Amino acid sequence: MDLTAPAVNNSISSRENREARVFRVPTLRRIAFLGTYIPRRCGIATFTDDLNCAVSRALPSAERIVIAMGEHDAYPEQVTLAIRGDDTTAYRRAAAHLNQSGVDLLCVQHEFGIYGGPAGSYLMPLLREVRMPVVTTLHSVLRGPDIAQRKVMEELVKLSTRLVVMAEKGAEILRDVYEVDSRKIDVIPHGIPDFAWSESDSTKQELGLAARKVLLTFGLLGPGKGIEYAIRSLPEIAARHPDILYVVLGATHPNLLAHEGERYRESLQQLADDLGVSAQLRFENRFVEMEELKRFIAAADIYLTPYPNEAQITSGTLAYAFGAGKAVISTPYWHAQELLARGGGLLVPARDSSAIAAAATGLLDAPEKMDSLRRTAFQQGREMVWTRVGDLYARSFSRAVAESAGQVQRSGVSFPLRSKLPRLKLDHLERLTDGTGIFQHAIFDVPNYREGYCTDDNARAFLLALMLETEGRFPALPRMASTYLAFLAASFNEAKGRFRNFMSHGREWLEEAGSEDSHGRALWALGTGAASARRDGWRLLCLKLFQGGLRAVEDFTSPRAWAFTLLGLHEYLKAYPGDLQAHRVRLLLVDRLLECWDHSATGDWRWFEISLAYDNARLPQALIASGSCLPESRALEVGIESLKWLLRVQTAGMGHFRPIGSNGFYTRGGERADFDQQPLEAQATVSACLAAWRTEGDPRWLREAERAFDWFLGRNDVGLPLHDSETGGCCDGLEPDRVNANQGAESSLAFALSLTELREAIVANTQTVKQIA
């Protein structure tokens, strides 16, 4: 047998030479890596460190820092910040740290189990807030993700400038399942040390394995590794080769150890005892450093990965053994199929101990065949050494930096330029609507009949229908609008002059008079309909109901009910300027809001009440709208000032919109609630800013409206979109680690109304700019 090392072709292909000439790496002064990191004992920690070192060789002038996931007392000095996985605020602090540290590019190591929140969703705010291109290495790519994983993955794809996968199969899944453009994907193999060619005998002596044929598996131990199938193959192998020894190298996975201790390892040992192969099995229950790992790999005759599941896109242990020139036997999981496709190893069916035994004895019986496999693997493995992988990452970084020219900095956050607004879909709202009205709530995207209907939501829905009345692409809209208006008419209790609010699914009213706020919302919708409905019957019914319900408002004490009514009066008086009663009520309600301002506003609290609660922006919006028609009043001045203050309060440190949470609100001098953020707040802010824009013409207001609208699309504290592009609905709120996945009427209408109003404003602004030009 020829014992010389196989010849290795170290040349780079002509295609790679062309790429090297085209993708010159721009000056990268500082690169940051985010992931687990040494001395933490896990595969990704080792990978991150190896990649860091490889990039240092490819880009020697670039300074490198590490943001490490998980706290540890012994991090090396390159770790400038550590993030505790379950600390939601730590991710935003890390984003600020990166932005302030002059980092030119962030390289993220992604695996769902590394980051906190459902499916690692806590990572999203960090990626949303950093102001540099992001290259994300995907250590797993799921073909069948659950709902949370899909949402996170879709957001991760959006926020990453480039994506790196370690196998062509990963790129295929990104394209087919997540609809990622191929041009955004780099396939870079899992890096390996530059192993020297070696025979096993000398190393076996060092490790006490002399005179044994060594079958090796290494990595963190857990049920998904299929070790039991390898153990069941040992009796058949030992019958032909009694000197066989199966070495299982690696500690039990820490998560498994925490939940059930060493139960799995003990079950494997018991299996070996029952099969009579205890002498052919050796556990090395520990984490080994790289130098010792190299010795075990060198001592192995055959490397085995008996994984039972096909859906594994990357195996660092397989890459190491293959690159070291070991004869490999593996089950056909995705990475193994791809890596061994050119003849560098043998594939056997999953969960088939007999097939493992046949492959192993076949190699042990034919040393020449084993040597041929080894030499093929070693030569092909030179394509995976870290020096080459570092060069490939440098090229990916180069692409990312070049592509980041298509980014803009806005309010301290780096966002992709939005080419267009989302498409408006009414599918979900149509499903929520029956012959009576629109249902209040949904269980996910399915109407919840148990909760019935309310005037609040039917008023909002009627407003939306009025805004879309001239569009012909929603054939069901006239029927829906008529239903909403009929509900408002039925809700009016003529004896009391008040609108009821809640109706059961059985069409029974649950009160004689609803809240003042629901009454005000009804008047807002009806005043708008009285002024702008194109159908005579709708307009006349709106006029009757509006005039009948207006008188009760004079006795109301709710500032929001006043504001909603003022917004209705603002539209109503455009069509009926001679209604002196309506003028009188408008002046009365404006004066009441100004009295609230005078009573509550202080130097650092520029608001109408001592607390910020819900639908806050409607108060300044009402004064801005009313003040634009009342030149002698200070309503416009107070409306603008209060809105500017509210925007400051509702802006996160990184510049995105952060509404007051409804889980406690915000009282002057107390702590603000940041979560259970509601779509209602984003919608109110969009509307108020657009009212200010229409009044003052300052484009800053249009940008502020866009910033509030972006909250629906994922520019928020959790980095997850609330808008469902498939249904057209909107999730009910934002929690610290997730969205509330129910898509109720209030939330879905908030999105649809915001989108419709913002779309109209952008069209109007574009036309104005063209006229000026």
Side-chain angles (χ1 to χ4, degrees):
M1 186 188 308
D2 182 4
L3 297 180
T4 59
V8 176
N9 179 7
N10 288 313
S11 64
I12 300 176
S13 70
S14 60
R15 174 178 175 272
E16 289 172 332
N17 273 320
R18 290 196 301 272
E19 287 185 348
R21 288 194 296 272
V22 173
F23 293 109
R24 293 292 183 189
V25 179
T27 302
L28 288 171
R29 294 161 299 179
R30 208 168 206 210
I31 300 168
F33 295 89
L34 171 63
T36 55
Y37 204 68
I38 60 170
R40 183 169 172 178
R41 294 180 168 182
C42 75
I44 293 180
T46 303
F47 181 94
T48 309
D49 180 52
D50 287 338
L51 177 59
N52 183 7
C53 295
V55 169
S56 75
R57 290 188 289 269
L59 301 171
S61 63
E63 182 184 357
R64 292 155 292 107
I65 65 172
V66 176
I67 309 297
M69 290 305 303
E71 296 174 328
H72 202 287
D73 295 333
Y75 279 130
E77 62 180 13
Q78 273 194 316
V79 176
T80 59
L81 189 70
I83 299 175
R84 200 180 76 229
D86 61 353
D87 183 354
T88 57
T89 62
Y91 294 86
R92 292 201 294 267
R93 289 197 300 270
H97 174 76
L98 289 164
N99 291 334
Q100 295 162 10
S101 299
V103 171
D104 298 310
L105 182 134
L106 173 63
C107 183
V108 176
Q109 305 309 307
H110 183 266
E111 179 63 83
F112 286 106
I114 294 178
Y115 304 100
S121 59
Y122 288 178
L123 173 64
M124 297 304 109
L126 183 154
L127 297 183
R128 176 59 58 201
E129 296 178 7
V130 293
R131 296 197 298 265
M132 71 281 304
V134 175
V135 175
T136 300
T137 301
L138 300 171
H139 289 262
S140 65
V141 185
L142 303 179
R143 180 179 285 282
D146 60 28
I147 293 173
Q149 289 167 337
R150 176 174 282 279
K151 280 186 175 291
V152 167
M153 191 65 180
E154 289 175 348
E155 190 70 5
L156 185 63
V157 167
K158 292 178 185 176
L159 296 175
S160 299
T161 315
R162 297 200 67 76
L163 299 167
V164 175
V165 291
M166 301 182 205
E168 291 291 347
K169 186 68 175 184
E172 175 190 312
I173 295 172
L174 286 178
R175 291 189 298 266
D176 295 349
V177 178
Y178 302 98
E179 300 181 348
V180 180
D181 190 328
S182 296
R183 293 169 295 182
K184 188 172 183 171
I185 305 168
D186 293 315
V187 180
I188 302 177
H190 192 297
I192 62 170
D194 193 358
F195 292 102
W197 175 264
S198 67
E199 297 298 335
S200 61
D201 291 342
S202 60
T203 314
K204 286 181 180 179
Q205 190 74 32
E206 296 175 21
L207 296 175
L209 302 173
R212 305 297 295 266
K213 296 296 184 185
V214 176
L215 186 65
L216 175 67
T217 297
F218 73 86
L220 293 174
L221 187 66
K225 298 298 178 69
I227 306 298
E228 58 270 29
Y229 300 105
I231 293 174
R232 289 192 180 101
S233 74
L234 290 178
E236 189 174 341
I237 300 172
R240 291 179 63 87
H241 296 276
D243 57 349
I244 191 69
L245 179 66
Y246 181 31
V247 177
V248 180
L249 174 63
T252 300
H253 196 289
N255 292 342
L256 182 65
L257 197 62
H259 285 91
E260 58 180 63
E262 292 287 7
R263 187 183 307 166
Y264 177 62
R265 186 184 298 271
E266 290 165 359
S267 72
L268 295 176
Q269 185 63 64
Q270 183 62 52
L271 176 62
D273 293 344
D274 294 343
L275 294 172
V277 291
S278 297
Q280 281 76 40
L281 176 64
R282 175 171 159 184
F283 283 114
E284 292 285 347
N285 186 4
R286 55 200 174 88
F287 184 90
V288 294
E289 301 297 340
M290 180 56 67
E291 288 309 310
E292 187 176 9
L293 176 58
K294 287 180 179 179
R295 288 198 296 273
F296 271 99
I297 294 174
D301 295 285
I302 297 173
Y303 183 72
L304 173 63
T305 53
Y307 303 162
N309 299 314
E310 179 189 48
Q312 180 159 340
I313 203 67
T314 304
S315 171
T317 65
L318 176 63
Y320 276 30
F322 182 85
K326 294 290 107 176
V328 173
I329 298 172
S330 178
T331 51
Y333 55 93
W334 290 333
H335 189 202
Q337 289 181 45
E338 199 166 305
L339 190 61
L340 305 182
R342 291 185 291 159
L346 302 178
L347 293 175
V348 297
R351 299 179 175 85
D352 191 336
S353 300
S354 295
I356 294 173
T361 54
L363 291 179
L364 293 172
D365 288 347
E368 295 81 3
K369 181 179 180 182
M370 185 187 301
D371 184 69
S372 176
L373 284 180
R374 290 192 59 201
R375 291 172 182 278
T376 300
F378 186 81
Q379 186 166 5
Q380 293 177 10
R382 298 315 90 200
E383 301 171 7
M384 301 157 55
V385 296
W386 274 115
T387 50
R388 183 175 182 277
V389 168
D391 289 338
L392 294 175
Y393 267 91
R395 296 179 195 179
S396 181
F397 293 173
S398 170
R399 291 183 176 98
V401 171
E403 290 158 7
S404 68
Q407 302 275 318
V408 293
Q409 290 188 9
R410 184 173 66 185
S411 303
V413 186
S414 179
F415 293 134
L417 284 166
R418 188 200 302 121
S419 59
K420 60 182 180 180
L421 292 169
R423 179 172 174 266
L424 178 65
K425 295 181 68 174
L426 300 184
D427 304 35
H428 182 57
L429 293 176
E430 188 173 351
R431 281 198 297 271
L432 285 176
T433 303
D434 68 358
T436 301
I438 190 167
F439 288 104
Q440 290 184 73
H441 298 295
I443 304 170
F444 301 113
D445 61 350
V446 178
N448 183 353
Y449 294 164
R450 187 171 54 204
E451 302 296 335
Y453 319 84
C454 69
T455 294
D456 279 323
D457 291 335
N458 280 274
R460 295 183 181 104
F462 187 57
L463 274 173
L464 177 65
L466 292 170
M467 294 173 72
L468 298 172
E469 193 176 3
T470 59
E471 295 199 19
R473 61 191 181 98
F474 302 113
L477 193 60
R479 174 187 57 77
M480 294 163 65
S482 181
T483 298
Y484 304 144
L485 180 55
F487 186 96
L488 294 177
S491 73
F492 188 58
N493 185 337
E494 293 190 23
K496 292 184 174 293
R498 292 287 302 274
F499 291 93
R500 305 175 181 90
N501 193 16
F502 295 111
M503 175 188 276
S504 72
H505 185 221
R507 296 187 178 185
E508 294 181 358
W509 290 107
L510 305 181
E511 60 206 347
E512 288 300 307
S515 67
E516 292 182 1
D517 289 1
S518 65
H519 189 104
R521 284 196 185 90
L523 290 178
W524 180 6
L526 294 166
T528 304
S532 64
R534 291 178 173 267
R535 298 191 178 193
D536 291 342
W538 290 6
R539 192 170 61 255
L540 291 171
L541 179 55
C542 286
L543 181 64
K544 176 184 176 182
L545 293 170
F546 181 82
Q547 292 175 343
L550 186 61
R551 290 185 292 271
V553 179
E554 296 185 45
D555 297 325
F556 285 179
T557 59
S558 165
R560 281 161 187 75
W562 303 337
F564 301 150
T565 303
L566 282 170
L567 292 171
L569 281 164
H570 179 68
E571 299 300 325
Y572 173 84
L573 286 169
K574 291 178 184 178
Y576 307 98
D579 190 332
L580 299 180
Q581 172 71 1
H583 279 288
R584 185 185 67 79
V585 174
R586 178 167 69 179
L587 288 173
L588 174 67
L589 299 183
V590 165
D591 286 344
R592 287 183 180 176
L593 282 177
L594 292 175
E595 287 173 9
C596 288
W597 170 265
D598 293 336
H599 179 72
S600 297
T602 61
D604 60 352
W605 185 267
R606 311 301 290 165
W607 197 242
F608 304 87
E609 303 166 296
I610 62 169
S611 64
L612 287 165
Y614 64 94
D615 234 356
N616 294 299
R618 297 302 184 189
L619 304 184
Q621 180 188 355
L623 288 183
I624 291 168
S626 301
S628 65
C629 304
L630 301 172
E632 302 302 319
S633 172
R634 58 193 175 100
L636 179 59
E637 175 189 349
V638 171
I640 293 293
E641 182 181 350
S642 59
L643 181 56
K644 287 180 177 178
W645 179 83
L646 181 63
L647 289 174
R648 289 195 297 271
V649 172
Q650 295 190 138
T651 299
M654 292 300 104
H656 60 269
F657 180 68
R658 180 187 292 166
I660 302 300
S662 63
N663 187 22
F665 299 126
Y666 181 25
T667 300
R668 181 170 59 196
E671 290 191 17
R672 62 171 285 166
D674 281 339
F675 284 101
D676 199 3
Q677 297 175 17
Q678 297 291 301
L680 193 70
E681 300 304 316
Q683 183 213 348
T685 304
V686 168
S687 293
C689 290
L690 292 179
W693 171 72
R694 286 188 288 265
T695 301
E696 293 193 327
D698 186 342
R700 184 185 71 124
W701 290 114
L702 189 56
R703 291 194 297 272
E704 290 290 349
E706 289 180 308
R707 188 170 66 87
F709 181 77
D710 284 344
W711 178 88
F712 290 105
L713 306 182
R715 280 75 167 178
N716 52 49
D717 283 332
V718 180
L720 293 175
L722 288 88
H723 166 52
D724 185 334
S725 59
E726 182 177 348
T727 69
C730 179
C731 295
D732 277 351
L734 195 66
E735 305 295 342
D737 59 349
R738 61 183 174 85
V739 296
N740 180 336
N742 296 330
Q743 298 179 13
E746 177 185 292
S747 303
S748 298
L749 286 163
F751 175 81
L753 285 161
S754 297
L755 175 57
T756 302
E757 191 173 3
L758 183 59
R759 183 182 60 180
E760 290 178 354
I762 290 174
V763 170
N765 184 58
T766 302
Q767 292 172 347
T768 300
V769 170
K770 286 181 179 178
Q771 290 170 2
I772 293 173

